[in-house]
């Protein structure tokens, strides 16, 4: 999606060190104009640090950040075409809501009437009309969040930076705000860079997501690509649930590889650009919901392994089964849709049974070791 | 239960005695200032305003009062400005030697005034040959009040979210504008406290003033020197009562301002 000619933001080898510790390691990627881009990763992986470097609150140790074609260098935040929605919202407590929203406009050559008009429009946009005279301590969490958003948006930034803006809200409000945020971003066409450690949030909101760990950007892709074609074990494990089978590539046949994942247990894996050679170690990853558990031996066109059910739990819409297939390997988890009444399931009863675990070849992902 | 109640009674008794012990001497001051007797003794003889009249004519005393007010105001302005800068450096920046500088600024709090007084006197007179005056008194008072001011302001600055300042930079403020539009209003209650604390500390400081005033005189010095003459004491009582009243008004005013500040600001800022 992002290409260098319509890139709003270009990061080249952006690195931040705190002493000997590297918080962000050579981040290099583009973000397209109008894109909803998320930075996703576990706590401490450097998301906030990267966002703060783009906003000008931290100075990168090396590398360069371009916004709309201009190198930012050491420019302070007030000279960057970005605005930030802080995690704590940072609503000025000595000002009321309208004054908060008008704060940034005071630094621009606009007359009072225009300011009042813009503030009213912004209040309406975030559905806070009539609350202009309230103070920060008279607002709910969701309302504060909207004030912070409106305050940033009236400045008409080219890029809006959001650091876990929904982190402090309860689940229901969070879901509402997610929808509002997405609509707002679409209607304004502003580039959003959104930091979160909640994978569902990132998957449902973003055009593209950068998955980070230990200061490194591991993969940048759309939600479906990240889920279906993770490029490494870490991304695969971080997003959703995943079964990993460690093994060895024994043959490459066209666009498929044959892997041996246990003694005489061979399965096929599609190749999507990975460079593999026969004899090398590799990891096969398969999502629990792509695996089926059946009693009779499946057709040879599908991958299949023999296993014994160890435990199963009934979750209403689906059942989770844990099955042992190999003494030394971790058990495989399987998620089955409960399309039939529980009693009719081949696995009813819960006692340990011999079954076949089977999945279509395309469901597997080959990861390098 | 009864055990608890008995102890509660004892506790209230203790509290009452304690408060009496603290405030009776202070309250006796205005009482005797209206008493028609040159000696401060009971029983009271009758109501009079003549001590206040004689106070109005006591130019030496009024000069000393004015000197103390001048020094106090100057000291509290200078110390609060210095304290503000120090507190900001301590709470917002990491720099080499930060801890040692912090300790050095606080040091005058634990050095006996006598030591500060003597050593300052030696430096000023022997080494620098500076004339002693209210200025030298003020300088020494700045030394002892900067740590107070810094502590009060640090407490205030640590209490509010750093991202507020970042947000103002983000919304287009220069560093100075951000300080003026966000930091200063939020720190204002601390500035008022610092100002009052520095003023009071300077206003009734005796020892340093005694060492460093030279031929000038501040109010505490003047009062001590008049204690030898019983007929001057009622003037001092009258003045003391006036100062007491002004202090009460100031404290109430400051508290009222502080509360107004609270109602208009985020509770988390406190
Ligand atoms: N000023 C600093 N000095 C030293 N280390 C820092 C500083 N700021 C951040 N770090 C370190 O850099 C790493 C990345 O921090 P960052 O705040 O970017 O993480 P994050 O991904 O936003 O995590 P979270 O999800 O918890 O907010 C952390 O290990 C943190 O301890
Ligand atoms: Mg963070």
């Amino acid at each position: 999606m992002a290409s260098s000619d319509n890139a709003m933001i270009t990061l080249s080898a952006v690195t931040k060190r705190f002493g000997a510790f590297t918080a962000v390691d050579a981040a290099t990627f583009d973000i397209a104009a109008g894109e909803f881009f998320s930075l996703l990763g576990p706590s401490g992986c450097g998301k906030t640090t990267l966002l703060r470097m783009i906003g000008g609150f931290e100075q990168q140790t090396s590398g360069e950040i371009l916004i709309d074609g201009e190198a930012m260098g050491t420019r302070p935040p007030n000279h960057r075409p970005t605005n930030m929605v802080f995690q704590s919202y940072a609503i000025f407590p000595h000002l009321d809501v309208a004054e908060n929203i008008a704060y940034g406009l005071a630094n621009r050559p606009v007359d009072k009437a225009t300011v009042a008009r813009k503030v009213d429009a912004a209040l309406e946009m975030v559905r806070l009309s009539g609350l202009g005279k309230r103070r920060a301590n008279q607002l709910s969490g969701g309302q504060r969040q909207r004030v912070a958003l409106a305050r940033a948006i009236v400045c008409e930034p080219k890029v809006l930076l959001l650091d876990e803006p929904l982190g402090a809200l309860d689940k229901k409000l969070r879901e509402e705000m997610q929808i509002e945020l997405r609509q707002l971003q679409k209607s304004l066409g502003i580039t959003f860079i959104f930091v979160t450690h909640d994978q569902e949030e990132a998957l449902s909101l973003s055009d593209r997501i950068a998955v980070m760990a230990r200061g490194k950007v591991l993969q940048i892709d759309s939600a479906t690509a990240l889920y279906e074609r993770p490029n490494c074990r870490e991304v695969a494990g971080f997003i959703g649930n995943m079964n990993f089978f460690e093994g060895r590539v024994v043959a490459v046949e066209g666009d498929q590889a044959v892997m041996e994942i246990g003694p005489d247990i061979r399965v096929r894996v599609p190749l999507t650009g990975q460079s593999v050679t026969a004899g090398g170690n590799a990891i096969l990853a398969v999502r629990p919901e792509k695996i089926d558990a059946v009693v009779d031996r499946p057709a040879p066109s599908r991958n299949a392994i023999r296993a014994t059910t160890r435990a199963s739990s009934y979750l209403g819409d689906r059942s989770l089964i844990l099955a042992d297939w190999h003494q030394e390997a971790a058990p495989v988890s399987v998620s089955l849709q409960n399309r039939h009444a529980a009693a009719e399931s081949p696995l009813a009863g819960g006692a340990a049974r011999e079954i076949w675990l089977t999945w279509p070849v395309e469901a597997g992902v080959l990861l390098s070791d | 239960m009864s055990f608890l109640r008995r102890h509660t009674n004892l506790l209230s008794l203790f509290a009452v005695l304690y408060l009496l012990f603290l405030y009776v001497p202070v309250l006796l001051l205005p009482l005797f200032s209206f008493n028609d007797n040159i000696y401060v003794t009971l029983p009271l003889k009758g109501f009079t305003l003549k001590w206040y009249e004689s106070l109005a004519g006591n130019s030496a005393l009024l000069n000393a009062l004015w000197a103390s007010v001048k020094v106090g105001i100057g000291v509290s302005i200078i110390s609060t400005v210095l304290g503000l800068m120090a507190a900001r450096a301590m709470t917002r920046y990491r720099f080499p030697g930060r801890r040692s500088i912090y300790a050095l600024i606080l040091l005058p709090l634990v050095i006996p005034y006598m030591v500060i007084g003597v050593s300052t006197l030696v430096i000023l007179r022997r080494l620098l040959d500076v004339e002693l005056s209210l200025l030298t008194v003020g300088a020494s008072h700045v030394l002892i009040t900067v740590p107070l001011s810094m502590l009060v302001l640090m407490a205030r600055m640590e209490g509010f979210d750093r991202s507020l300042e970042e947000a103002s930079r983000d919304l287009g403020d220069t560093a100075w504008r951000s300080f003026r539009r966000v930091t200063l209003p939020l720190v204002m209650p601390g500035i008022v406290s610092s100002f009052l604390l520095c003023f009071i500390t300077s206003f009734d400081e005796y020892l340093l003033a005694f060492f460093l005033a030279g031929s000038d005189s501040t109010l505490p010095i003047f009062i001590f020197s008049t204690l030898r003459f019983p007929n001057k004491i009622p003037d001092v009582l009258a003045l003391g009562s006036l100062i007491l009243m002004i202090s009460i008004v100031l404290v109430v005013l400051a508290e009222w301002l502080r509360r107004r500040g609270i109602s208009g600001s985020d509770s988390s800022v406190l």
Side-chain angles (χ1 to χ4, degrees):
Chain A
M1 183 158 183
S3 65
S4 41
D5 46 289
N6 74 336
M8 175 55 79
I9 293 200
T10 303
L11 303 180
S12 45
V14 174
T15 301
K16 177 71 187 181
R17 290 199 190 86
F18 294 108
F21 176 77
T22 305
V24 174
D25 191 1
T28 303
F29 57 87
D30 288 353
I31 298 174
E35 194 170 17
F36 196 122
F37 191 91
S38 291
L39 298 173
L40 174 67
S43 187
C45 70
K47 310 177 294 282
T48 298
T49 306
L50 184 52
L51 196 75
R52 288 170 60 82
M53 285 193 284
I54 297 172
F57 300 104
E58 300 283 355
Q59 185 58 45
Q60 64 265 27
T61 313
S62 63
E64 183 56 285
I65 298 170
L66 271 70
I67 302 181
D68 206 14
E70 278 184 76
M72 288 297 121
T74 59
R75 276 198 215 178
N78 49 324
H79 290 142
R80 294 192 184 209
T82 57
N83 279 111
M84 178 110 146
V85 175
F86 290 84
Q87 181 163 17
S88 61
Y89 307 147
I91 308 291
F92 302 120
H94 58 299
L95 303 177
D96 65 27
V97 167
E99 288 165 338
N100 261 282
I101 295 177
Y103 193 95
L105 298 175
N107 288 317
R108 311 198 164 184
V110 276
D111 59 89
K112 270 192 174 167
T114 318
V115 170
R117 194 168 43 71
K118 287 192 175 199
V119 169
D120 278 344
L123 278 170
E124 191 162 335
M125 181 179 64
V126 296
R127 300 195 288 118
L128 286 177
S129 301
L131 298 187
K133 289 276 158 255
R134 292 259 188 108
R135 295 271 178 166
N137 59 354
Q138 299 167 318
L139 296 175
S140 71
Q143 288 170 334
R144 283 174 194 222
Q145 207 275 335
R146 294 197 181 113
V147 174
L149 202 59
R151 185 176 72 180
I153 285 172
V154 282
C155 295
E156 294 165 6
K158 289 178 180 165
V159 181
L160 190 67
L161 309 171
L162 304 102
D163 191 0
E164 308 211 20
L166 310 179
L169 306 181
D170 64 47
K171 191 165 177 298
K172 193 162 167 292
L173 194 56
R174 218 180 146 100
E175 282 164 2
E176 275 176 40
M177 284 306 299
Q178 284 176 8
I179 295 169
E180 280 185 31
L181 260 187
R182 184 66 188 158
Q183 285 173 344
L184 202 63
Q185 192 265 341
K186 281 221 171 102
S187 64
L188 294 171
I190 298 177
T191 309
F192 274 36
I193 306 182
F194 183 90
V195 163
T196 179
H197 62 252
D198 179 336
Q199 44 151 316
E200 273 182 36
E201 192 166 278
L203 293 180
S204 68
L205 287 174
S206 323
D207 293 317
R208 286 191 313 153
I209 301 158
V211 182
M212 294 180 66
R214 290 166 280 103
K216 291 200 171 61
V217 177
L218 301 177
Q219 184 173 3
I220 301 177
D221 250 319
S222 67
T224 43
L226 282 179
Y227 192 79
E228 302 291 344
R229 289 185 304 281
N231 69 359
C232 64
R233 184 171 185 150
E234 232 168 337
V235 172
F238 186 68
I239 296 181
N241 296 312
M242 189 66 102
N243 292 300
F244 295 105
F245 301 89
E246 288 167 17
R248 206 164 49 83
V249 176
V250 290
V252 177
E253 294 172 1
D255 58 358
Q256 291 188 351
V258 179
M259 268 183 79
E260 189 169 76
I261 56 175
D264 281 327
I265 306 177
R266 295 192 170 192
V267 291
R268 290 178 169 273
V269 198
L271 289 177
T272 49
Q274 301 98 324
S275 65
V276 289
T277 46
N281 288 335
I283 296 169
L284 163 65
V286 190
R287 299 273 176 205
E289 74 276 9
K290 309 230 158 150
I291 302 179
D292 206 3
V294 294
V295 177
D296 303 317
R297 183 177 193 125
S301 65
R302 293 168 65 94
N303 289 317
I305 56 178
R306 197 76 177 134
T308 315
T309 58
R310 181 207 277 191
S312 76
S313 49
Y314 178 72
L315 301 175
D317 59 335
R318 64 209 163 92
S319 293
L320 221 54
I321 296 167
L322 224 50
D324 291 310
W325 64 283
H326 185 270
Q327 284 160 347
E328 285 137 43
V332 176
S333 65
V334 180
S335 168
L336 295 177
Q337 288 292 319
N338 290 331
R339 291 212 195 80
H340 311 286
E344 296 166 25
S345 157
L347 300 161
R353 297 178 63 163
E354 288 276 296
I355 51 166
W356 287 94
L357 297 181
T358 170
W359 63 93
V361 173
E362 322 81 72
V365 179
L366 184 106
L367 304 173
S368 53
D369 206 8
Chain B
M1 191 63 198
S2 68
F3 171 83
L4 202 70
R5 188 167 300 151
R6 214 169 54 231
H7 278 257
T8 315
N9 285 338
L10 273 179
L11 269 180
S12 346
L13 183 68
F14 176 75
V16 169
L17 285 177
Y18 182 76
L19 288 175
L20 285 177
F21 178 75
L22 271 186
Y23 287 109
V24 163
V26 177
L27 292 176
L28 283 179
L29 198 71
L31 190 67
F32 282 110
S33 76
F34 294 112
N35 188 22
D36 193 2
N37 184 353
I38 195 146
Y39 299 106
V40 182
T41 54
L42 289 170
L44 299 175
K45 275 199 169 162
F47 180 83
T48 179
L49 284 176
K50 71 178 176 208
W51 308 128
Y52 287 87
E53 279 167 35
S54 95
L55 170 66
N58 189 340
S59 65
L61 194 157
L62 291 180
N63 282 341
L65 171 66
W66 178 231
S68 275
V69 169
K70 272 193 299 192
V71 171
I73 290 179
V75 164
S76 41
I77 291 174
I78 294 172
S79 290
T80 301
V81 169
L82 292 177
L84 190 63
M85 297 196 281
R88 186 164 172 87
M90 291 299 151
T91 52
R92 286 294 183 261
Y93 303 101
R94 313 260 132 216
F95 49 91
R98 179 174 167 275
R99 285 175 162 274
S100 341
I101 292 173
Y102 178 69
L104 274 178
I105 297 177
L106 290 187
L107 204 57
L109 284 183
V110 293
I111 302 179
Y113 286 0
M114 214 155 54
V115 175
I116 298 179
V118 171
S119 48
T120 314
L121 186 63
V122 168
I123 291 177
L124 289 178
R125 293 303 299 142
R126 284 289 144 82
L127 296 180
L128 302 176
D129 197 26
V130 174
E131 279 302 313
L132 295 180
S133 68
L134 292 180
L135 284 179
T136 50
V137 176
S140 71
H141 284 179
V142 167
L143 183 71
I144 59 168
T145 52
V146 162
L148 300 177
S149 167
M150 181 181 75
L151 286 179
V152 166
L153 290 167
M154 271 179 77
R156 184 72 196 174
M157 284 187 173
E158 267 160 7
F160 73 81
D161 188 359
R162 202 186 161 157
S163 56
L164 290 173
E165 288 169 343
E166 291 183 338
S168 82
R169 296 302 308 275
D170 186 62
L171 294 165
D173 278 355
T174 58
W176 167 243
R177 249 176 97 73
S178 160
F179 183 76
R180 233 188 49 217
R181 292 178 78 194
V182 173
T183 316
L184 214 50
L186 291 178
V187 177
M188 198 41 92
I191 292 178
V192 172
S193 309
S194 156
F195 197 88
L196 288 178
L197 193 63
C198 294
F199 182 85
I200 296 294
T201 306
S202 161
F203 188 73
D204 71 6
E205 198 288 322
Y206 174 72
L207 208 52
L208 290 174
F210 179 72
F211 276 111
L212 301 171
S215 58
D216 288 340
S217 183
T218 64
L219 190 62
I221 297 178
F222 184 84
I223 290 176
F224 271 102
S225 68
T226 55
L227 284 183
R228 278 173 290 147
F229 312 107
N231 59 331
K232 295 274 179 57
I233 288 183
D235 282 9
V236 174
L237 288 184
L239 179 67
S241 310
L242 284 179
I243 292 174
L244 187 65
M245 214 175 67
I246 293 172
S247 315
I248 292 174
V249 169
L250 275 183
V251 166
V252 169
L253 194 73
E255 182 61 19
W256 179 75
L257 277 176
R258 197 177 71 86
R259 290 195 180 208
R260 247 178 47 130
I262 296 171
S263 71
S265 70
D266 190 337
S267 50
S268 69
V269 164
L270 306 168

